[in-house]
Structures are given as C-alpha cells and as structure tokens.
Amino acid sequence: MIASLTHVRPLACAAASACLYPARLVPQPPDLIKWVRREGGFVHHSIKVANLEEEKTNGLGFGLVAADDIPKGSELISLPQHIPLRFDEQSSTLIDLAQHIPDELWAMKLGLKLLQERAKTGSFWWPYISNLPETYSVPIFFPGEDIKNLQYAPLLHQVNKRCRFLLEFQNLMKHKLENVKLDEHPFGGQNIDASSLGWAMSAVSSRAFRLYGNKRPDGTHVDAPMLLPLIDMCNHSFTPNAEIVQEKEANDGNMLVKVIAGSQIKQNDPLELNYGCLNNDLFLLDYGFSVPSNPYDCIELKYDPALLDAASLAAGVSSPNFSSPSPWQQQILFQLNLHGQNSDLKVRIGGLELVEDRLLAALRVLLTNDKEAVENQDLNTLKSLATEAPLGISTESAAFRTIIALCVIALEHFPSKIMDDESILKQKVSTTTELAVKYRIGKKCIIIDAMREFTRRAKLLASKESVTTQ
C-alpha cells in the first residue's frame, strides 16, 4: 500500500537532524503563496518566503519576509474558512483514538488529522504538508546524550512523559487499527509508529494556533487549535510586528483568519507574531528553540519542608517552622494551596515576578512567630513583593536569605558550570547539543540573576535595619 502513495513518503520520521535547517518533506514542494492565492486567500504582494539567519528565526530556518516596506495596518495574509487544517468530527476512528489523548497533549489530536491527510493521495492540504519540515528539533527527537545535556529535572520529566505517551499510544493504535478494513483505515493502511506520531505532534505544537474554529449548531464558533498554512511561517517575537485577527465574511458568516501589520515592517524584516508569553521549557518542548534572556522564563522548585530547612540552615536563619508549622501557619499554607490534599507544590523563582507570590508568603509566615502581626495583614499583602517587609525587616531579611540559599541549591543541581557550557559552544557541536547547552545556560542565568536581585534587596534591608537600631 505504501508504494501506491505516489505523493508521500512513508509515515516515519528520523531523529532531529544535525543540520541547521531541516529539509522539507519533499525536495521541491509547491509554492505555498501561489497555493493560498489560488484557493481564494490573500497574500500581500511584498511578502516572500526566505531562508533567514538563525538569530532571526530561532533556528527555524524558513520564514516570511517583507520584500518592500509595508505600512502599519496593512493586511498581510487572509485565509478563508476552508484553508486552515482542523480536527474534524467526520472520522469515527480518529475520534475514538483522540479520546485516549490527555488534554495537555492536545497537539496529538490535531496531529492525527495531519497524519491522515499526509497519507491521503490527492489531499487538499498536500501543498501545505509537503512544505513542512521532515524533522523537528524538539527534545523528544534529541539523542539520549542531549536529553541528559538539558540538565534540568522538570524539563527532563516532561520529555520522558511525552516519549512514554508516544510509545504507549503507538501500541494502542496498533491494537485499534489491526482489524480495520483497508478502505476504512484512516491512514491508508500505513503503520503508525511512535516516530511518526512524534513528528505529527511536533508539527502541530510548533505551528498551530488556538482560534475560533468550527460552528456549533446555534451558529457560535468553538475555540479550537488549527494549522494556518503560510501564517505559521511567521516567526516569534515578544515585540511582534504583526498580529492575527479573525473576522466574519460578509456573504456567509464564515470566519476569515487574517494577519495584520501591527507596526511598519521595513524591507527585509521578517514577519513576527507573539507565540505567547511562555517560558523556555514550553518553547523548547513545543517549538524546538529557547529565547535568550526570556523575561518569562523561570526555574521550578518543589515546595518541600526538608529543602526549605536546608536552605534556611545554609542562610543562617534560626528556628524556622518549615518542618513543623503551627496550626495557624498550616491554615495559611492551606490557603496558599501549599498544604493539604491536592495541594500544588510547584513553585517558581525568576522571571518577571522574581519569586512566586505563594512561596514568598509562605516564607514570610513561617519565618515569624508573631501570629498577631500575620493576622493584621491580608493574604494579598503577604504575597506581594512590592509590599516592603509587612512582617518586619528581620523576617523579610530571613525570607530573602532563604530564597538566595534556594537559588544556590538549585544551581548546584546542574552538573556543569556556565564557563564549561560556554566552552562547549565554542566547539563544533550538533544542533541538538547546542540547543541543550544554550537552554541550560539560560536556566542558570535566571538563578544567578535572582540571587543578585535578592542579595541587593537583603543588603538594602540590612542598611535600613542598622539605621533603626542606632
């Protein structure tokens, strides 16, 4: 059956390529701009597809570029209702398979539809699919050594979780499809392995947008992920020059997906959208790149009394209550969802907030024995870093020193130092090694920046305390 599929390769995917720009599914795919225009879409005459410099594309290689200056407010791309690729409800087999996909891996659901269209001779979306990369530089395709090179436990957990799912889903699909007749087989009889599933999930996670999708019977539109041909070749920026909008067509009420210039786009500038205010874990997992100096990046810790005891001891803080909080302290921890059944023990340091407000409030409360002082403050005040020393300077100083010690402990969990990482990058290494090393450098920089900021704040508090005691 595979041999009869004249326009596709078998549904198998190699590991992440060592080359900087991965090949497309076919050597010379159709012109995507011409296809969009032919199918009733609009593409601004000054837009072209180009192979861009790595730093402008986050390593993705291809992107959309302005061939001439484009004024702010210009319509750049418009896709009518039938061009975006969505997960439809027409295939009962796909619907059954999709029910076994956890919500957090939503990209796999649309990925099934993508695989179905990739396997279909004469698919309407073949001009789009043939332009997709043959491989993706996401961690599920990293060699084992480069997965280890990430050095960050929360991300390693997510990578292993996704790989485990793909293997389990491969086996489930084999069981579900083994007795399906060839003319009813959603993938034309082709075997779907974990590698092809990973390719489809990566294609969707790195390119799909969650927008208003299909109509309900009452005429309203449902929020749904969809692949947007050509639009998904816009690259990422936190300060984008373009934005996606949706509007109804006047004649039939169908939804148009448009890209509008949010600012003037100069000649040779890439078209950029904001993929979201995400941390580098999500950028790397879903898109295959990390953003240097990402303001939304952070490190994740577990709220663990033993860890906090060790940190406070290292910080020289006396008599903390982390392991044995008083009943009134436990009640506040419960309100912070850090105590009791079904509590959320993941807390963050770094990023725009510097420290997660729940962790800051917990430290402030557990580092004081003054129940009355705590009861005189509302929870929002205790959680706010902008509120200066709500429980007194000595408690605030102890909290800051404990955070610094937590940062030191977190930094020590990385096997390598930044100078070691930088020396690796000076050598000729594979793309995946480079991605892993740059990612872990970013995590270490977050920790160091947080340590510096809390050290600065602790010194400021110490100077104020010395003034008040004189």
Side-chain angles (χ1 to χ4, degrees):
M1 182 61 191
I2 290 176
S4 70
L5 297 176
T6 57
H7 71 217
V8 295
R9 297 184 180 189
L11 294 181
C13 180
S17 173
C19 66
L20 182 60
Y21 302 135
R24 307 285 122 177
L25 280 184
V26 298
Q28 293 181 315
D31 187 310
L32 204 51
I33 291 178
K34 288 181 179 178
W35 177 73
V36 168
R37 287 173 175 158
R38 189 173 67 244
E39 292 301 328
F42 169 80
V43 184
H44 194 283
H45 62 85
S46 293
I47 291 177
K48 64 179 181 179
V49 177
N51 204 336
L52 303 177
E53 297 172 27
E54 181 188 4
E55 63 269 17
K56 290 184 179 179
T57 65
N58 297 306
L60 295 180
F62 290 93
L64 300 182
V65 170
D68 300 293
D69 289 356
I70 301 176
K72 177 181 178 180
S74 299
E75 184 175 318
L76 304 175
I77 304 170
S78 178
L79 302 182
Q81 178 86 0
H82 65 283
I83 290 183
L85 178 58
R86 306 171 176 84
F87 183 87
D88 56 43
E89 307 295 326
Q90 296 176 0
S91 170
S92 58
T93 307
L94 284 194
I95 293 170
D96 178 47
L97 291 172
Q99 290 174 350
H100 298 275
I101 300 171
D103 290 343
E104 65 188 276
L105 297 179
W106 56 269
M108 189 70 262
K109 181 177 177 181
L110 182 52
L112 291 176
K113 175 65 176 175
L114 178 62
L115 283 174
Q116 183 183 47
E117 293 299 327
R118 180 178 167 181
K120 186 188 298 182
T121 302
S123 167
F124 168 77
W125 286 283
W126 177 245
Y128 166 66
I129 294 171
S130 64
N131 274 277
L132 293 176
E134 189 177 29
T135 62
Y136 286 92
S137 57
V138 292
I140 60 169
F141 288 125
F142 280 17
E145 192 59 34
D146 283 332
I147 292 178
K148 292 179 185 176
N149 279 333
L150 295 166
Q151 296 186 354
Y152 181 62
L155 182 62
L156 291 172
H157 172 74
Q158 290 300 323
V159 175
N160 291 330
K161 186 177 178 181
R162 292 189 179 196
C163 290
R164 198 161 51 244
F165 162 78
L166 290 170
L167 290 170
E168 292 171 354
F169 196 49
Q170 164 193 265
N171 295 332
L172 182 141
M173 288 183 65
K174 184 178 180 181
H175 172 71
K176 292 273 186 182
L177 298 175
E178 61 184 352
N179 295 319
V180 174
K181 295 177 182 178
L182 187 58
D183 59 350
E184 297 176 0
H185 197 288
F187 310 108
Q190 294 197 57
N191 178 49
I192 305 296
D193 61 12
S195 181
S196 53
L197 289 170
W199 174 86
M201 185 170 72
S202 302
V204 173
S205 71
S206 64
R207 307 179 82 89
F209 295 84
R210 189 172 287 275
L211 304 172
Y212 290 116
N214 298 325
K215 285 184 184 177
R216 288 193 179 105
D218 63 2
T220 59
H221 286 81
V222 211
D223 183 35
M226 59 185 78
L227 289 164
L228 305 178
L230 199 64
I231 290 177
D232 61 14
M233 295 185 78
C234 294
N235 288 293
H236 165 76
S237 173
F238 289 129
T239 54
N241 54 23
E243 58 183 338
I244 292 180
V245 298
Q246 285 182 278
E247 60 184 49
K248 290 182 180 179
E249 292 184 275
N251 53 347
D252 56 14
N254 283 331
M255 198 71 73
L256 284 172
V257 181
K258 294 185 175 183
V259 177
I260 306 296
S263 60
Q264 182 184 14
I265 304 174
K266 295 182 179 179
Q267 185 179 21
N268 296 324
D269 278 357
L271 271 58
E272 295 171 330
L273 298 168
N274 188 345
Y275 293 177
C277 299
L278 309 175
N279 62 34
N280 277 347
D281 298 28
L282 291 174
F283 275 129
L284 192 59
L285 274 171
D286 288 341
Y287 296 92
F289 65 82
S290 58
V291 178
S293 304
N294 182 352
Y296 304 99
D297 203 11
C298 58
I299 61 160
E300 185 183 286
L301 303 171
K302 182 180 179 183
Y303 181 86
D304 179 2
L307 173 64
L308 293 171
D309 278 336
S312 60
L313 182 64
V317 175
S318 59
S319 304
N321 298 303
F322 299 123
S323 297
S324 54
S326 303
W328 64 270
Q329 291 171 323
Q330 289 182 23
Q331 183 58 37
I332 295 175
L333 291 176
F334 182 80
Q335 294 177 47
L336 294 170
N337 200 21
L338 292 171
H339 182 75
Q341 198 171 15
N342 300 320
S343 54
D344 177 12
L345 300 181
K346 292 179 181 178
V347 291
R348 302 179 304 276
I349 292 177
L352 294 177
E353 58 183 350
L354 276 178
V355 61
E356 186 175 335
D357 55 7
R358 296 188 306 139
L359 175 59
L360 178 62
L363 292 174
R364 283 169 166 170
V365 170
L366 294 173
L367 288 169
T368 183
N369 293 314
D370 193 341
K371 180 182 177 182
E372 185 178 349
V374 173
E375 289 176 342
N376 285 336
Q377 305 288 347
D378 62 45
L379 196 60
N380 287 333
T381 300
L382 294 173
K383 290 164 68 176
S384 173
L385 186 60
T387 305
E388 188 174 301
L391 301 180
I393 290 178
S394 60
T395 298
E396 193 80 341
S397 177
F400 288 173
R401 296 202 311 273
T402 303
I403 292 171
I404 294 167
L406 282 173
C407 289
V408 172
I409 293 171
L411 203 56
E412 288 174 347
H413 275 83
F414 287 91
S416 64
K417 300 186 184 302
I418 288 181
M419 63 175 64
D420 301 325
D421 299 337
E422 289 174 339
S423 67
I424 290 173
L425 294 178
K426 291 176 183 177
Q427 305 167 24
K428 188 175 181 180
V429 295
S430 68
T431 302
T432 53
T433 299
E434 184 178 351
L435 282 168
V437 173
K438 284 183 175 179
Y439 167 83
R440 75 192 192 207
I441 287 177
K443 288 297 180 187
K444 294 169 191 174
C445 288
I446 288 166
I447 297 170
I448 292 169
D449 288 346
M451 288 170 62
R452 286 173 176 159
E453 177 57 23
F454 280 106
T455 299
R456 184 189 70 79
R457 289 172 180 256
K459 287 179 178 177
L460 193 59
L461 283 174
S463 65
K464 290 180 179 180
E465 190 171 29
S466 65
V467 169
T468 57
T469 54
Q470 287 177 0

